[in-house]
């Protein structure tokens, strides 16, 4: 009987975890979907983002921007968030100056590069 009780408790914990995940603001789009495209000479790199940008995955987005900026000297990077959602708490972190400042603070910023950001819909 004890094994049946522990199995019931584990099921209850799993149910509670699923409910908590479903109520989370990013529940419908837990992962970012990112498409990176570049012209033949890598002078312009566009990063198209779908999903929900949150404090949890903001660092991953920074890494994609940094990687795109290092493809070629003087690469123009366009971060297109028009198809993404963003938590209100990270909207200020999605401005070009904020992204560049984070990359510089981490010591991972490539040579200065032009960065344009198309903001997410309100």
């Amino acid at each position: 009987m004890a094994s049946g009780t522990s199995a019931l408790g584990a099921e209850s914990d799993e149910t509670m975890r699923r409910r908590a995940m479903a109520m989370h603001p990013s529940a419908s789009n837990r992962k970012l979907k990112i498409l990176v495209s570049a012209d033949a000479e890598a002078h312009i790199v566009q990063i198209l983002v779908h999903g929900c940008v949150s404090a949890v995955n903001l660092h991953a987005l920074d890494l994609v921007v940094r990687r795109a900026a290092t493809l070629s000297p003087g690469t123009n990077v366009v971060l297109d968030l028009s198809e993404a959602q963003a938590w209100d708490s990270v909207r200020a972190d999605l401005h070009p100056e904020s992204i560049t400042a984070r990359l510089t603070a981490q010591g991972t910023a490539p040579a200065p590069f032009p960065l344009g950001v198309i903001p997410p819909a309100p």
Side-chain angles (χ1 to χ4, degrees), residues 76-89:
N76 293 308
V77 178
V78 177
L79 179 60
D80 186 348
L81 299 166
S82 62
E83 299 293 323
Q85 297 84 37
W87 286 11
D88 290 337
S89 61

Side-chain angles (χ1 to χ4, degrees), residues 1-90:
M1 185 147 246
S3 62
T5 306
S6 64
L8 184 59
E11 183 178 329
S12 175
D13 289 344
E14 179 66 18
T15 302
M16 288 176 21
R17 184 180 71 81
R18 287 185 183 184
R19 283 186 191 151
M21 287 175 58
M23 293 182 348
H24 195 271
S26 65
S28 61
N29 297 309
R30 283 182 243 155
K31 295 182 180 182
L32 290 181
K33 296 167 190 79
I34 299 173
L35 174 66
V36 179
S37 59
D39 63 352
E41 293 82 28
H43 293 304
I44 300 173
V45 177
Q46 181 176 14
I47 304 168
L48 179 61
V49 180
H50 286 85
C52 185
V53 181
S54 68
V56 174
N57 58 26
L58 188 61
H59 177 69
L61 194 57
D62 288 347
L63 293 176
V64 173
V65 170
R66 178 182 61 83
R67 191 84 185 254
T70 60
L71 289 176
S72 177
T75 299
N76 293 308
V77 178
V78 177
L79 179 60
D80 186 348
L81 299 166
S82 62
E83 299 293 323
Q85 297 84 37
W87 286 11
D88 290 337
S89 61
V90 298

